Amino acid sequence: MYDTKVGNIHLEITSKCNARCPQCIRNFHNSPHTDPTLPEEELSLDELIKILDDPMFSDVYAININGVYGDIVMHSDPLPLLQEILRRNIYINLHTNGSGLSKHFWEEIGKLQLHVVFALDGLADTHHLYRRNTRFDITLANAETFINNGGTAVWQFIVFKHNKHQVDEARELAKEKGFIKFVEIMSSNRFLPEYNAISIKDKDFEHSYYLEREDTIDEELKVHPMRNIDDTREAYSNPPTPGRPVGKPYPRTEAIPDEIVCDVANGSLYISYDKRLWPCCFIAPAFDSAHRGGWNNNLHLLFKEQLDKDYDFNNIIKRSVGEIMDDTNNFRVVSDEWTKTTLCDVCNQQCAADGIWTLNKASQKGWHEEISTTE
């Protein structure tokens, strides 16, 4: 694993976001509040240049800018970063909620002929129920500006119960506006198997409405349990101490090593908002959340020895890619787990044959076919 040259980088350029999507890990207990332990950081142009100048990245041909915590619309000056990447003849695939930045920005990146995936989860009357704190009209207007200036746009639609009746209408609107693809993502793989709904909280952590899987039947509503309101308010007001994850890790899962289907083993790496180099975007937040005082997991234990020895063990600004991969050996500590009777809980949860990401990919429709545009 990770013996091939790096060809693809998944890059998070900021931890800041304008949206308050309930199922995003940056938001606190399905509320509109940001996790109080999450720092607001962003990648500077100088830092990007230093990263891309690393000899280990000399063969990079594509960069995927897709936030785990943040969105490009909240970066203070993203255009020079995009221009620098393109100057090196590296392809950019950008994911965004699109509900921010100036018209000038969308005109300019359209002229750069970028490929952008816009998150539009419904129409004007439903989009905000999941993509909270964003506006459908603003996102659509920015996408139109981008398209009309030469950009290639994809409409990504997460299907829930509240918007599933709008899929066909949204697809027709996508054709009319000039999107080249319309991608459906089934929400059922975003819920734990035993539940089909979550309670969405308001700013006071009171119940506001239910977010339901696309296949939910009213009389069969099974809501994911949450801590009570008083405990939630207390946890938000008194955040945990960084470096001290709470609870015990889930039991290790026995599995056959070759059941893990690793998308990133063939030359792809992830750089997180805090400029740390990781194998992928699933491993990073599992470690990051636990380290910031969140729920413990086996992955945090795997890296704890390295963290205790050197807090910056995988900081890509302070260390070279080669040093991180060779000295800390922090990538092999994950893949080595696959050869044991128990394995990395994150790898198993996401990328086993029945993992969340494996099933999510299988449920997506539209990535490999273009929609015809209206005459």
Side-chain angles (χ1 to χ4, degrees):
M1 185 180 183
Y2 303 107
D3 290 329
T4 58
K5 292 201 177 227
V6 179
N8 185 20
I9 298 173
H10 180 179
L11 179 65
E12 179 152 39
I13 65 172
T14 180
S15 63
K16 296 179 287 185
C17 189
N18 56 330
R20 296 294 180 264
C21 307
Q23 291 177 309
C24 178
I25 57 176
R26 82 182 314 278
N27 298 320
F28 193 77
H29 288 265
N30 301 341
S31 80
H33 297 287
T34 301
D35 183 336
T37 68
L38 179 66
E40 290 194 343
E41 297 188 23
E42 66 178 32
L43 186 71
S44 71
L45 178 60
D46 287 342
E47 289 171 332
L48 175 67
I49 291 172
K50 183 179 188 305
I51 290 170
L52 295 181
D53 280 346
D54 192 291
M56 290 288 287
F57 287 159
S58 61
D59 292 325
V60 168
Y61 59 84
I63 290 181
N64 180 31
I65 299 177
N66 187 1
V68 172
Y69 294 100
D71 193 290
I72 191 173
V73 300
M74 292 300 289
H75 192 283
S76 60
D77 191 16
L79 186 57
L81 276 67
L82 300 177
Q83 292 170 328
E84 175 62 26
I85 294 170
L86 292 175
R87 186 185 69 79
R88 297 169 183 261
N89 296 316
I90 298 173
Y91 174 80
I92 297 173
N93 183 37
L94 172 62
H95 289 244
T96 178
N97 66 60
S99 194
L101 293 174
S102 66
K103 183 178 180 180
H104 172 72
F105 172 82
W106 297 106
E107 289 173 341
E108 289 303 305
I109 69 167
K111 293 172 185 176
L112 294 174
Q113 299 183 330
L114 292 192
H115 181 275
V116 177
V117 179
F118 289 89
L120 286 156
D121 303 316
L123 296 174
D125 61 332
T126 58
H127 169 76
H128 64 284
L129 293 176
Y130 180 71
R131 203 69 53 175
R132 290 198 296 179
N133 209 42
T134 69
R135 284 176 48 182
F136 178 83
D137 58 333
I138 291 177
T139 301
L140 189 60
N142 288 336
E144 284 190 83
T145 299
F146 170 72
I147 292 168
N148 292 338
N149 281 274
T152 299
V154 173
W155 181 316
Q156 179 183 282
F157 187 119
I158 301 178
V159 185
F160 295 95
K161 182 183 176 183
H162 66 262
N163 64 12
K164 66 180 181 180
H165 64 288
Q166 298 177 322
V167 169
D168 291 340
E169 185 179 352
R171 184 184 291 107
E172 289 305 310
L173 182 59
K175 290 180 185 180
E176 176 187 326
K177 299 300 183 182
F179 288 82
I180 65 160
K181 293 181 181 181
F182 182 84
V183 175
E184 297 173 54
I185 299 178
M186 298 300 108
S187 63
S188 49
N189 294 307
R190 302 168 70 89
F191 293 78
L192 292 175
E194 59 267 39
Y195 306 110
N196 55 22
I198 59 174
S199 172
I200 307 306
K201 310 298 184 182
D202 63 18
K203 61 183 178 61
D204 296 317
F205 300 106
E206 298 277 0
H207 171 75
S208 182
Y209 57 91
Y210 289 115
L211 184 72
E212 304 174 49
R213 290 165 45 142
E214 82 282 353
D215 55 357
T216 302
I217 302 173
D218 288 342
E219 59 268 30
E220 297 180 353
L221 199 65
K222 299 174 183 176
V223 183
H224 191 292
M226 299 286 288
R227 65 174 69 175
N228 64 49
I229 293 176
D230 290 338
D231 288 346
T232 302
R233 289 170 176 165
E234 172 64 22
Y236 180 73
S237 300
N238 297 285
T241 304
R244 296 177 60 185
V246 299
K248 294 181 179 180
Y250 292 113
R252 305 299 292 277
T253 305
E254 293 189 5
I256 301 171
D258 62 12
E259 288 184 345
I260 299 294
V261 181
C262 183
D263 276 355
V264 302
N266 295 316
S268 177
L269 296 173
Y270 170 68
I271 300 172
S272 56
Y273 72 89
D274 51 354
K275 295 94 176 178
R276 290 181 179 272
L277 186 68
W278 297 102
C280 74
C281 66
F282 298 125
I283 287 175
F287 171 86
D288 181 59
S289 176
H291 184 63
R292 286 190 284 109
W295 197 257
N296 212 338
N297 58 64
N298 292 312
L299 195 68
H300 186 265
L301 297 180
L302 285 177
F303 292 120
K304 188 175 185 304
E305 181 180 347
Q306 293 169 343
L307 187 72
D308 290 343
K309 200 177 299 181
D310 180 4
Y311 180 77
D312 294 316
F313 72 96
N314 62 343
N315 186 309
I316 197 170
I317 302 301
K318 297 182 178 181
R319 309 192 72 192
S320 71
V321 178
E323 287 176 324
I324 294 170
M325 297 181 73
D326 293 340
D327 294 349
T328 67
N329 206 26
N330 80 83
F331 293 84
R332 295 194 180 282
V333 74
V334 175
S335 57
D336 284 352
E337 286 284 298
W338 299 353
T339 65
K340 302 176 183 178
T341 56
T342 60
L343 75 158
C344 169
D345 49 359
V346 176
C347 298
N348 186 57
Q349 182 188 49
Q350 294 290 343
C351 297
D354 59 349
I356 296 171
W357 176 236
T358 304
L359 296 177
N360 188 305
K361 285 187 298 179
S363 76
Q364 297 180 15
K365 306 174 185 177
W367 285 117
H368 304 296
E369 57 209 40
E370 294 191 2
I371 55 176
S372 59
T373 56
T374 55
E375 297 294 334

